[in-house]
Amino acid sequence: MGKSKVLTNEPLIKIVGMKKYFPLKKTRLFQREILTVKANDGVDLVIHKGETLGLVGESGCGKSTLGRVLLQLYPLTSGKIIYYGYTLEDYSPRYLFKEINSLKASRLKYEKYSKQIQAIEAKMASQKNNPAFQEQVKNNEQEIAKLKAECNQIASDCRSQFGTFFASNNMRAIKQAIKMDALIYKNKEKVAQLELKQVKLEQDLEKAKKIKNVKAEADVAALKKQLENADLNLIADLNKKLSIAERKAQHHVIAVDIDIRETQKKINLINDDTQRFIARIKSLLEKPIELNTEIVAKLVERKQQHFVREKRIKQLQDFNLFTKEKAMISRLNKKIEKLINKAANVTGAFILSDDIAGISDTLFKNIDALHTIQMNKEEITLLEVKKFKIEQKIADDKGTYTDFQKDVFQERIEKINQKLANLHAENEQLTEKTKQLTQEIKEANAKLSDHPMYEELEAKKEKGLDLSRLTGEEMRRLRQDMQLIFQDPYSSLNPRLTVGQIIGEGLKAHDVESKTKDNYQDMILKVMDKCGLAPYMLHRYPHQFSGGQRQRIGIARALAVNPKFIVCDEAVSALDVSIQSQIINLLEDLRDQENLTYLFISHDLSVIKHISDRIGVMYLGQIVELGNSEEIYRRPLHPYTKALISAIPTTDQGPKQRIFLEGDIPSNVFPPSGCKFRTRCPLARKECAQRVPEFREVEPGRFVACHFYEETETLRPS
Ligand code: SF4
């Protein structure tokens, strides 16, 4: 299997802070904020040459979007995608010309800011030596001392009147204490009202008890009186009446009693509250103080006086210590740093050169020459193919062409030869020129090597192509290197084209045939053969094939243009299991034969495990774990990875050991704060909601985004 091959660590694609947000329509006409679906939210990833990187995650986690953004089918929202298939100089994209042109302007700005810094520093130095300034500083110091003394006096007044706490400058705590005090006052009022109510209720209770007794006694007396002459029926009737009267009286007593108890409960609650406020104030103050409106107004006035003096002290200190000037210098330094970093990204340390005009000119000429050489080479290939075809016609001639036609052919060949000679001559000249220019560039670079920032800036120079900065045409040319295999083999093939036409489309679009001089049909047959398609299928239409064969056509179409990198977006998900294994084996064989690099996107963990060298696990637009596939399966470090792996079906006997995740994947319009997985994570705690876990290398080659990844091992199936 392909996995046994030795992998290099040479990067082919580097993704830095990649974000892809899809804007949503406004739900209200005057809605200010436009909501976005955060399909990819800060992805950092390096794909190495010759590896298969598997991307796995639930539906909607942003895997396919990542693949499409990589191929620039969707524009980036922010971040960078660097492709190392070509060097910056070889491909010489438009933005490189732009960067070289802006080098002079950047250098001018750099000088302007540096001069401004020098001017400020010179002004500070001259002021320091100026007697008038020194006099002013002295006066300021005296004023500062006086103001500080006044501040101390105010603080001491406050301390003696309101306690040490109120002498402090912690206005927030003071305000809190004042607020608590007001609440205590309100509580006291409430308690007084409730106590009044309670007294009234107790009186009611007494009354009710009395009524009950009087009534009962009266009833008993009446009963005794009537009993002497009454018959049995009357006695029973009187007893019944007595019982009702007693129950009514009893009921009233109980109701009042409940009311009293409830009021008591309320009083207790308010008293508890008051105790809490008092305790809080006690913790703020050294000793509790009775505040009232008058005292608070006095306190605020004193504090205001303190504040005005402190402000003035700061002004004077700023003047004496050049605070504003120093802040200005720091701002300018930041601007310089930004400028230098931007320039260094493309041209290394050249922004430091004193002869910026000269070096910009040399760099520009060199890139221009390299660009022309490339263009000429492409034209030479086209002309040679043209010439070859005419020569073939003459060679294959069996007397069908007249002498006149043969002369025309000859004339064309001569013209082509002439053009070729010119182009070769121009390229030779330009090659000589670039050699010379490269030498000049090297020398200019060597001159800068003593500069303290040289190493740092040279290290920042990016050698690959920034895909998001390429023009449409540049990206179109580069697509020959980067292909896509689609998920659905049914809808991804044009039903009106034959297999030959489908595979040949890319060859025509990228002029592969003319570049290689091979016959168009031979190339199609060759690639069909590689993908296990018989030659007789060339003129058939997609509907005449099974799902597996159609996917082979899709693979052949991607492979026809000799790509370096292929995104396989759920390439086997629509196929049944036996066909899946055939296609996976085919992809592995092709990868080894053609030295391809795959980004294999799938939600099927067993497929990913089988084909990938490394695996990236995605959740809600972010990669949460990345590492060697064997390692990830053996010892997952992220709780989400562990849950996913536990869900892989096995043929083992006995009950399935699985970690179940609660709930659904959250919305990526309003993702959870902190760690996006926290709403479903069995290990989640308070910190997970407050801090976004950093995606960091925790072991060599092993990256994870979890605060508590060491505890993942403790997770057990439920
Ligand atoms: S950071 Fe917290 S919520 Fe996120 S995966 Fe780790 S433990 Fe779970």
Side-chain angles (χ1 to χ4, degrees):
M1 284 292 153
K3 277 190 198 179
S4 58
K5 71 187 188 314
V6 180
L7 291 171
T8 64
N9 271 342
E10 213 183 319
L12 181 68
I13 291 174
K14 185 169 86 181
I15 304 172
V16 187
M18 189 192 96
K19 286 186 183 171
K20 177 64 199 167
Y21 293 173
F22 293 101
L24 287 179
K25 242 168 94 178
K26 287 184 179 182
T27 47
R28 277 172 285 122
L29 185 60
F30 299 108
Q31 186 181 333
R32 281 212 173 162
E33 191 192 2
I34 297 182
L35 299 176
T36 50
V37 176
K38 296 167 184 67
N40 289 154
D41 199 10
V43 175
D44 292 307
L45 184 66
V46 177
I47 303 174
H48 299 129
K49 277 184 189 164
E51 79 166 338
T52 300
L53 179 75
L55 262 193
V56 70
E58 285 164 291
S59 298
C61 69
K63 313 180 288 287
S64 295
T65 305
L66 194 146
R68 283 168 162 74
V69 174
L70 254 180
L71 301 179
Q72 294 293 295
L73 298 175
Y74 300 151
L76 266 181
T77 302
S78 70
K80 270 187 198 173
I81 300 175
I82 309 291
Y83 177 62
Y84 295 97
Y86 292 95
T87 66
L88 203 53
E89 281 78 14
D90 277 351
Y91 206 74
S92 41
R94 284 279 129 216
Y95 77 82
L96 184 55
F97 287 80
K98 222 164 122 188
E99 289 295 331
I100 292 171
N101 273 337
S102 68
L103 198 59
K104 256 188 270 178
S106 301
R107 174 66 197 208
L108 282 179
K109 275 189 193 167
Y110 169 62
E111 280 168 7
K112 185 179 137 198
Y113 297 149
S114 303
K115 273 183 195 158
Q116 282 177 355
I117 292 175
Q118 280 167 9
I120 296 169
E121 281 172 347
K123 192 180 151 200
M124 278 159 56
S126 84
Q127 273 197 334
K128 271 182 195 167
N129 298 326
N130 184 343
F133 176 79
Q134 286 165 355
E135 188 60 35
Q136 181 67 47
V137 169
K138 255 188 216 163
N139 291 343
N140 286 353
E141 271 164 10
Q142 279 168 8
E143 197 181 339
I144 289 169
K146 192 176 141 236
L147 289 167
K148 276 188 177 169
E150 283 173 11
C151 280
N152 287 342
Q153 185 55 49
I154 293 170
S156 133
D157 284 356
C158 287
R159 205 175 299 125
S160 61
Q161 282 184 48
F162 315 112
T164 46
F165 170 74
F166 288 101
S168 85
N169 281 334
N170 190 348
M171 271 317 274
R172 201 162 156 247
I174 292 172
K175 276 181 191 161
Q176 253 187 21
I178 293 170
K179 204 170 138 195
M180 297 281 168
D181 194 70
L183 286 173
I184 291 171
Y185 179 73
K186 265 191 194 165
N187 277 1
K188 278 181 184 168
E189 275 186 346
K190 267 190 213 164
V191 169
Q193 278 171 8
L194 287 169
E195 276 171 355
L196 265 179
K197 190 182 168 188
Q198 204 180 16
V199 169
K200 205 169 161 279
L201 283 170
E202 271 163 10
Q203 284 169 357
D204 271 6
L205 184 66
E206 280 310 307
K207 226 191 259 172
K209 279 179 185 169
K210 264 184 204 159
I211 290 167
K212 184 196 142 197
N213 290 341
V214 169
K215 185 100 180 144
E217 277 165 19
D219 283 345
V220 170
L223 178 68
K224 277 181 183 171
K225 210 174 174 186
Q226 286 178 33
L227 268 175
E228 288 166 13
N229 305 316
D231 58 20
L232 273 174
N233 284 341
L234 190 60
I235 291 169
D237 192 37
L238 284 172
N239 272 338
K240 206 174 167 186
K241 277 182 185 168
L242 174 63
S243 142
I244 291 168
E246 268 182 341
R247 270 214 308 275
K248 269 187 186 169
Q250 188 64 26
H251 183 75
H252 184 61
V253 170
I254 291 169
V256 176
D257 202 38
I258 288 172
D259 244 12
I260 289 174
R261 264 185 274 152
E262 297 232 314
T263 313
Q264 190 56 50
K265 247 193 228 167
K266 275 186 196 166
I267 290 173
N268 289 347
L269 276 177
I270 294 172
N271 279 340
D272 284 353
D273 245 14
T274 311
Q275 285 313 315
R276 264 197 305 115
F277 294 148
I278 289 172
R280 178 87 184 100
I281 293 182
K282 267 186 188 164
S283 74
L284 289 170
L285 311 180
E286 277 172 10
K287 52 177 181 175
I289 191 163
E290 277 297 319
L291 293 171
N292 60 39
T293 338
E294 206 182 306
I295 290 178
V296 169
K298 229 178 186 180
L299 179 69
V300 170
E301 192 195 328
R302 292 301 272 160
K303 283 282 157 200
Q304 193 60 30
Q305 289 165 355
H306 197 276
F307 175 72
V308 169
R309 278 160 185 75
E310 276 197 327
K311 206 174 157 192
R312 177 70 184 147
I313 291 172
K314 179 143 190 337
Q315 266 178 4
L316 297 170
Q317 279 174 339
D318 283 353
F319 179 84
N320 285 4
L321 300 171
F322 297 105
T323 313
K324 274 186 192 160
E325 287 79 357
K326 282 177 187 166
M328 186 66 184
I329 290 175
S330 143
R331 274 202 297 277
L332 288 167
N333 273 330
K334 271 189 194 146
K335 279 187 183 177
I336 289 179
E337 197 187 328
K338 212 171 149 192
L339 206 71
I340 284 182
N341 283 344
K342 191 172 170 281
N345 198 18
V346 179
T347 50
F350 280 124
I351 189 156
L352 303 172
S353 169
D354 288 334
D355 178 23
I356 198 74
I359 191 63
S360 299
D361 204 33
T362 315
L363 285 171
F364 194 89
K365 278 183 193 160
N366 190 37
I367 284 297
D368 198 31
L370 285 168
H371 187 74
T372 317
I373 291 172
Q374 279 300 324
M375 294 295 113
N376 285 352
K377 275 184 186 167
E378 288 199 8
E379 208 180 331
I380 287 170
T381 318
L382 290 175
L383 287 171
E384 278 178 347
V385 173
K386 232 182 191 179
K387 187 177 140 188
F388 175 74
K389 281 183 180 167
I390 300 170
E391 283 171 347
Q392 279 293 111
K393 273 186 190 173
I394 297 171
D396 296 344
D397 179 34
K398 289 178 185 132
T400 45
Y401 297 120
T402 61
D403 286 347
F404 175 72
Q405 281 173 316
K406 282 178 190 167
D407 287 347
V408 170
F409 285 151
Q410 209 51 51
E411 218 172 285
R412 277 193 205 158
I413 289 175
E414 273 164 26
K415 269 189 189 165
I416 290 173
N417 280 341
Q418 186 57 45
K419 274 188 191 169
L420 283 172
N422 290 345
L423 287 169
H424 280 300
E426 193 187 1
N427 266 10
E428 260 174 46
Q429 264 181 16
L430 287 172
T431 312
E432 273 309 306
K433 193 177 166 188
T434 52
K435 272 185 198 163
Q436 204 184 323
L437 289 168
T438 312
Q439 188 55 31
E440 280 177 36
I441 291 168
K442 267 188 193 163
E443 281 165 17
N445 190 281
K447 276 186 202 162
L448 299 170
S449 60
D450 290 340
H451 197 286
M453 287 179 76
Y454 175 81
E455 296 285 334
E456 189 194 328
L457 295 185
E458 280 297 299
K460 280 184 181 152
K461 189 174 172 186
E462 194 53 86
K463 294 181 179 67
L465 299 172
D466 187 346
L467 297 188
S468 61
R469 296 186 71 189
L470 296 183
T471 62
E473 173 53 24
E474 283 166 352
M475 195 57 225
R476 195 194 67 77
R477 276 197 284 141
L478 204 65
R479 287 224 169 85
Q480 190 182 339
D481 275 23
M482 308 169 96
Q483 288 290 308
L484 176 66
I485 299 172
F486 295 90
Q487 171 176 8
D488 189 352
Y490 295 87
S491 61
S492 63
L493 302 178
N494 187 340
R496 290 195 181 84
L497 299 184
T498 63
V499 172
Q501 287 168 327
I502 289 170
I503 298 173
E505 266 192 315
L507 293 173
K508 278 186 183 163
H510 292 289
D511 256 338
V512 178
E513 182 214 357
S514 54
K515 282 177 194 163
T516 56
K517 282 194 238 170
D518 281 350
N519 184 290
Y520 176 66
Q521 189 157 320
D522 285 350
M523 292 185 72
I524 295 171
L525 288 172
K526 227 188 268 175
V527 79
M528 281 175 69
D529 182 45
K530 275 185 201 166
C531 297
L533 295 164
Y536 68 84
M537 296 171 175
L538 186 70
H539 300 295
R540 290 196 174 180
Y541 287 89
H543 71 270
Q544 294 170 298
F545 293 91
S546 67
Q549 283 171 324
R550 286 183 205 205
Q551 197 56 304
R552 284 173 190 270
I553 299 170
I555 294 171
R557 174 175 58 184
L559 215 65
V561 290
N562 298 324
K564 292 177 184 161
F565 172 67
I566 300 181
V567 175
C568 307
D569 186 5
E570 303 273 10
V572 292
S573 305
L575 307 173
D576 61 52
V577 181
S578 60
I579 307 296
Q580 274 188 5
S581 64
Q582 287 175 20
I583 298 294
I584 288 171
N585 290 341
L586 172 67
L587 285 170
E588 283 183 332
D589 292 345
L590 291 171
R591 177 189 63 190
D592 297 343
Q593 286 163 22
E594 311 287 322
N595 197 20
L596 294 169
T597 304
Y598 290 144
L599 176 68
F600 199 92
I601 297 168
S602 177
H603 61 269
D604 187 335
L605 283 138
S606 11
V607 170
I608 285 276
K609 185 186 176 196
H610 178 82
I611 196 168
S612 308
D613 301 304
R614 287 193 307 149
I615 293 176
V617 183
M618 281 195 82
Y619 185 79
L620 217 63
Q622 289 175 330
I623 296 186
V624 292
E625 185 164 3
L626 176 73
N628 174 286
S629 60
E630 295 295 333
E631 277 291 302
I632 286 209
Y633 275 83
R634 197 174 56 77
R635 195 170 53 92
L637 292 182
H638 197 281
Y640 179 60
T641 317
K642 185 149 185 173
L644 277 187
I645 289 171
S646 77
I648 302 178
T650 62
T651 49
D652 294 348
Q653 297 287 324
K656 178 86 185 82
Q657 298 282 292
R658 190 175 164 186
I659 298 168
F660 285 97
L661 292 178
E662 300 280 324
D664 290 327
I665 191 162
S667 147
N668 45 16
V669 180
F670 303 106
S673 63
C675 173
K676 289 187 176 180
F677 184 53
R678 73 176 165 83
T679 51
R680 302 170 76 195
C681 178
L683 295 179
R685 55 198 79 167
K686 202 173 161 196
E687 199 181 340
C688 304
Q690 291 163 346
R691 249 182 346 114
V692 178
E694 192 192 338
F695 184 59
R696 62 193 199 281
E697 190 167 15
V698 292
E699 288 167 16
R702 196 76 189 272
F703 297 80
V704 67
C706 173
H707 297 308
F708 309 106
Y709 71 91
E710 297 97 336
E711 293 174 31
T712 303
E713 231 169 307
T714 61
L715 276 179
R716 294 280 167 260
S718 50

